Every structure is written in structure tokens, then in C-alpha cells.
Amino acid sequence: GKTAQPAPIPPPDSMTMAALDSTKASATRALVLEGDALLKSGDVRQARLSYEKAWAGGSPAGAYGLARSFDPVVLGGVALKNDKPDTAKALEWYERAAIAGHAGAADSIVRLRLKR
């Protein structure tokens, strides 16, 4: 007799792929928002942990948040509970964010370089 062939696996449906992407995007967005709130409260170290998780999840905003957590201009308006600004690290993270496609990163690089 003839052996039954397994049914061909249909190609992934673009809607379910989009849904997966948006779930991942909303998870990283939540981490970035959490980082922003922590940064505003002055908890720089905890903010960085949230941004790092978002960046690890593929979010350019995570890299941008990390850059802001080192940026002396941004931190100038925050009552810092821990850690301090580091211009070199801020530029390094802004560059990563720019390469990853973050729209605001290039302007931040220019602003920070002109401030020196």
C-alpha cells in the first residue's frame, strides 16, 4: 500500500507573525516606559536595567533610553539617587540607537557633541 504523506505545513500567516511582533513590541515598550519613569524618579541604575532588557528585546528605544541615562544634559534635570552622567557612554549608546533606527538619536549626538 501507499504510505500516507504528512500534510504540508502552511507558510506562516502574516497576521500571526505581526501579532507576535506587536506582542514583543508592546513588551519592550512597557520596559522603556518603566525605564523612563525610573529615570525621572532619579533611580538611574534601575532605569538602566529596564532599558537593557528592552534593548536585548530588539528595541532601539532601549538603546536610546540607556544613552539618556548617561546623558549629562538629561540627568541635569533629575534629582539623582544613584550613579552619575558619563558623556562618552551616552554618545556610545546614542550611536547604537541611531544605527538601530531610532529617529531622535542623531539629534542627541549632535547636541551632546556641541555641548562639550
Side-chain angles (χ1 to χ4, degrees):
K2 207 173 175 194
T3 323
Q5 292 295 312
I9 299 167
D13 179 57
S14 59
M15 281 310 292
T16 47
M17 293 305 279
L20 284 173
D21 287 348
S22 66
T23 304
K24 187 174 159 188
S26 62
T28 56
R29 194 177 305 117
L31 285 165
V32 171
L33 292 172
E34 178 184 78
D36 289 348
L38 287 161
L39 193 60
K40 282 186 188 109
S41 79
D43 193 346
V44 178
R45 289 193 186 138
Q46 283 302 120
R48 284 185 192 145
L49 291 176
S50 295
Y51 293 137
E52 281 166 6
K53 284 180 197 159
W55 173 241
S59 169
Y64 189 72
L66 275 164
R68 291 178 65 242
S69 79
F70 287 107
D71 188 330
V73 178
V74 173
L75 296 182
V78 174
L80 298 179
K81 293 178 187 165
N82 50 38
D83 229 316
K84 56 191 190 301
D86 183 328
T87 302
K89 279 190 177 166
L91 284 168
E92 191 181 302
W93 279 106
Y94 279 133
E95 281 164 16
R96 285 181 192 163
I99 291 164
H102 192 283
D107 288 342
S108 298
I109 292 168
V110 171
R111 174 186 49 72
L112 200 51
R113 286 196 189 281
L114 290 176
K115 188 189 172 288
R116 283 202 220 175

